[in-house]
Amino acid sequence: MNHRMAGSSEAAPLSVSASSPAASIKKPHGAAPPKPLAGRARDALVFAAGVAAAVLVLLGSPSSVLVATGSGGIPLVSFPVPGPEDGPRTTFYDDPELSYDAVRGRRLTDWDAKRAAWLRSRGLATTGRSSPERVVMVSGSQPYPCHGDAGDHLLLRFLKNKLDYCRLHGIKLLYNRDFLHPSMTSLWAKIPIVRAAMLAHPDAEWIWWVDSDAVFTDMDFSLPLATRYAGRNFVAYGVTKDIKRKSWLAINAGVFLIRNCQWSLDLLDEWARMGPAYPEEHARWAKTVQSALADKGNYTWLDDQSALVYLLLFNWERLGEKAFIETEYYLMVFWGDMVGQLDGIAARYEAVERRAPAELGLRRRHAEREHLRYAAARNAAVGGKGGVPGPAGGGEDGWRRPLITHFTGCQPCSGGRNPAYSKESCDDGMRRALGFADDQVLRAYGFRHAAPLNDTVLPLPFDYPAARGRSN
């Protein structure tokens, strides 16, 4: 398994909600559409709408300001501004020595108390508006176009996959395309943006880093944050046999969860000091890690994953109490071990739904916003009689969907594929995994792909997958 990651992370798209002026005009049933206003009449309406927008700005509440208008001056979006209900204006953000920089900035201390005070000042600690499991996912790619064939198209599909999962699970996505420190690029770029994300999102309990070349292949599964990971601050996927032999493949750094707390900031600082932003320490750590890890070989460079594996495995007495290395289900699985099984997994899920009693509602059509309710019912059915162990029923002995399938070594953006993998195996594997995930999303819209490597979609018959209509 070649655990190599891509990119950095940030940039969530701005959501703009607008109502068309025509939407407010009631048209009698069967009536012809209204004719467009012409000349001066239209200009008068535009002017009136603009005046109305200005009056709203002047008379509106102090907690919102209209900052954009559409055609005719119709307001498109309003942004909240601080008001008395937001509590004290002075927070840790007002400290001139606060730095978002993971390398050049002053070490951040007392973060737990500062964050708690900010939450209280915004009413997020007591009013129930903030969930203890609030998550911000962070991913990203490099600031320049991909060199590999169809690399930009693949990154778009990978991003779409993450957006789908986040939308279904109520998670914010921060997608970054900038190197926040000139020396922390490529594999090391994740550390600066994850640290900055903690400061920018004090309302988030967890920051979830996911490499750009990782695909969510189970749209149903929700992380057991409040149960399985309660009291832990760092969660990553590990391989038991590699942990025992202290391999650099023991823990995957391409997907991890880190709690927004002082312990985590200290871990990131310690991890960053092993990186290329500190040339002398980086060179010294490269020799130390090479001699300590079982299969690091003669590499004279130090990657982020080897540094993390050394940091955790050789400091377990100090860090192990707060770290959780997941081995019981596929928080992340190497693509080469999984893509050949996806078709069989899909067939078994369909078999479970096909034989499930109608009253369970597994085949019932429903709105996408109800996805998690039906996902819970599906997970319960899959984990019933004949189910497999583990919180997700996954892992090496299971047949459930892996949460994430990671295409390490394929390098879809750079094109610098590991020579151990053929171009066809990487390309087909990525298409197969992305289509496998898309089918789970398209289900709510009444469609699915015609075949695993076919981009054509077909409508689903009523009561799918029990019904065997022509369209199936």
Side-chain angles (χ1 to χ4, degrees), residues 10-15 137-139 155-175 208 210-212 214-216 219 368 434 437-438 441 445:
E10 201 212 299
L14 175 65
S15 297
M137 184 185 297
V138 182
S139 187
L155 281 190
L156 178 62
R157 290 199 64 182
F158 280 116
L159 172 58
K160 185 262 186 191
N161 170 263
K162 294 176 178 65
L163 286 167
D164 282 340
Y165 183 87
C166 288
R167 183 181 69 253
L168 293 173
H169 291 263
I171 293 174
K172 292 181 180 179
L173 175 63
L174 173 65
Y175 196 89
W208 187 1
V210 182
D211 272 5
S212 63
V215 179
F216 281 87
M219 292 294 174
E368 188 182 69
L434 288 164
D438 283 343
V441 178
Y445 297 86

Side-chain angles (χ1 to χ4, degrees), residues 43-67:
D43 293 342
L45 179 60
V46 168
F47 175 77
V51 172
V55 172
L56 287 173
V57 170
L58 293 173
L59 301 181
S61 71
S63 62
S64 65
V65 175
L66 296 170
V67 297

Side-chain angles (χ1 to χ4, degrees), residues 29 45 49 62 143 146 171 282 289 323 325 329 355 395 436 457 461:
H29 179 68
L45 179 60
C146 293
I171 293 174
H282 184 59
V289 172
I325 308 305
Y329 74 95
R355 65 174 179 260
F436 179 84
V457 297

